[in-house]
Every structure is written in C-alpha cells, then in structure tokens.
Amino acid sequence: MEYSYINYKQKKFIYAFNEDKLAYFGTGDLPALEKIFSDDRFVYVEDLQTNFIQEIKDYFEGNLKVFKTPLYFSGTEFQKEVYKYLAKVPYGSLVSYTELAHMMQSPNKVRAIANALGKNKHLILLPCHRVIAKDGSLGGFSGGLDLKVILHDIESIKL
C-alpha cells in the first residue's frame, strides 16, 4: 500500500491507498497503520492521489459535501453493513447510535454498531462524526472529540 500525510488545524492525518481505492484515512502514524494492516507493506508517496488531497481540502474549507474517492473496505461483514448505513447519513445531519441501529433494523445491536464505528478506517469519508449519543451528547470519536467539534462546525451541525 502507498501512504502519505495531510495536515489540517494542527491535526496530522495519515492516509493509504490500495491500488486506486482509499484503504485508510485517519489520525495517527505509520506504526498504527502497520498494526491495522499487518499483512501489508507500505511505501511513502509524497502528494499521493492528488484528487483525494483536493477533495479533503475542499471538505475542510466547507466546499465539498460528497466525496467521490472510491473506498477499499476491509473488516467483518457486520462492519461493512454498518458502514453502508453510515454512508447514508447526509452532510450536516446527525443520528444517534440507537437511530442508526433502527435504520439497520438491528435495535438490539447498538453496542456492536458503536464498536464497528470505532473501527472505521475512513474517518470523515464515512461520517462517524455525524453519530451522537442518544442523550444528544457528542459520544465518542476515534479522531478525538476536538476534531468531532471541528467537523460539526464545518458542516454547520448544532447539537
């Protein structure tokens, strides 16, 4: 896999492509990426996938609502199902973990859904930042709650 970095507001993001599909976008560094994809080898590429870089910049500037970058999915079938429903949450909208479970017709799997979201390998592109706790609080976020607030601001989301 090829990987590179993007910086935004003192946050460092690492991203990796498996051929022409985005396999990972998140916070962290190469050792974290190697742990997630332990069977893969990584090669650093400066300015990897310039179309993707432009999409991320446009999103951060508030000028992009839908990503076109193709995603490479890994994980369990259940995780992939969660991500399919997560992708349906529109820009600028919020759902609770419970609402997402009901969308999936799996109301008893709220914790399993939350765990799947914690393993989301496509931060921002699969918008787990749009999922909040049932009581209206922020809930968790693998990129950190400070980043979740920034993403809400970009999308004009109000709690």
Side-chain angles (χ1 to χ4, degrees):
M1 268 193 237
E2 297 177 327
Y3 76 97
S4 196
Y5 296 96
I6 295 174
N7 293 303
Y8 176 75
K9 288 199 176 192
Q10 300 175 339
K11 282 279 189 184
K12 183 178 183 179
F13 296 93
I14 187 169
Y15 64 102
F17 273 79
N18 185 349
E19 297 179 14
D20 287 332
K21 293 184 178 180
L22 182 70
Y24 185 85
F25 180 75
T27 56
D29 52 18
L30 182 58
L33 191 61
E34 289 172 328
K35 187 175 180 182
I36 294 167
F37 297 99
S38 59
D39 294 336
D40 291 295
R41 299 192 66 174
F42 293 90
V43 176
Y44 177 79
V45 177
E46 185 89 19
D47 296 327
L48 174 63
Q49 296 282 345
T50 56
N51 289 341
F52 170 69
I53 293 170
Q54 189 58 53
E55 278 194 323
I56 287 295
K57 287 179 180 178
D58 288 346
Y59 172 82
F60 285 141
E61 292 170 4
N63 298 321
L64 181 80
K65 295 182 180 181
V66 177
F67 289 93
K68 294 180 181 163
T69 298
L71 305 179
Y72 172 82
F73 289 97
S74 60
T76 68
E77 289 306 312
F78 180 74
Q79 289 169 341
K80 291 175 186 177
E81 184 74 7
V82 171
Y83 303 149
K84 181 176 92 174
Y85 281 89
L86 178 62
K88 296 177 183 182
V89 179
Y91 181 97
S93 300
L94 293 174
V95 297
S96 70
Y97 295 98
T98 302
E99 290 169 326
L100 191 58
H102 284 283
M103 286 169 56
M104 293 180 62
Q105 298 179 352
S106 299
N108 297 325
K109 294 188 176 181
V110 174
R111 285 182 191 242
I113 289 168
N115 286 333
L117 293 179
K119 293 181 173 95
N120 178 6
K121 294 175 185 79
H122 302 96
L123 194 69
I124 302 172
L125 287 87
L126 285 177
C128 50
H129 61 278
R130 297 178 191 153
V131 182
I132 59 171
K134 185 172 153 179
D135 67 3
S137 64
L138 283 176
F141 188 59
S142 63
L145 292 181
D146 60 329
L147 179 59
K148 192 170 188 173
V149 170
I150 290 169
L151 299 176
H152 284 190
D153 288 345
I154 290 169
E155 296 188 22
S156 299
I157 294 173
K158 305 289 183 228
L159 288 179

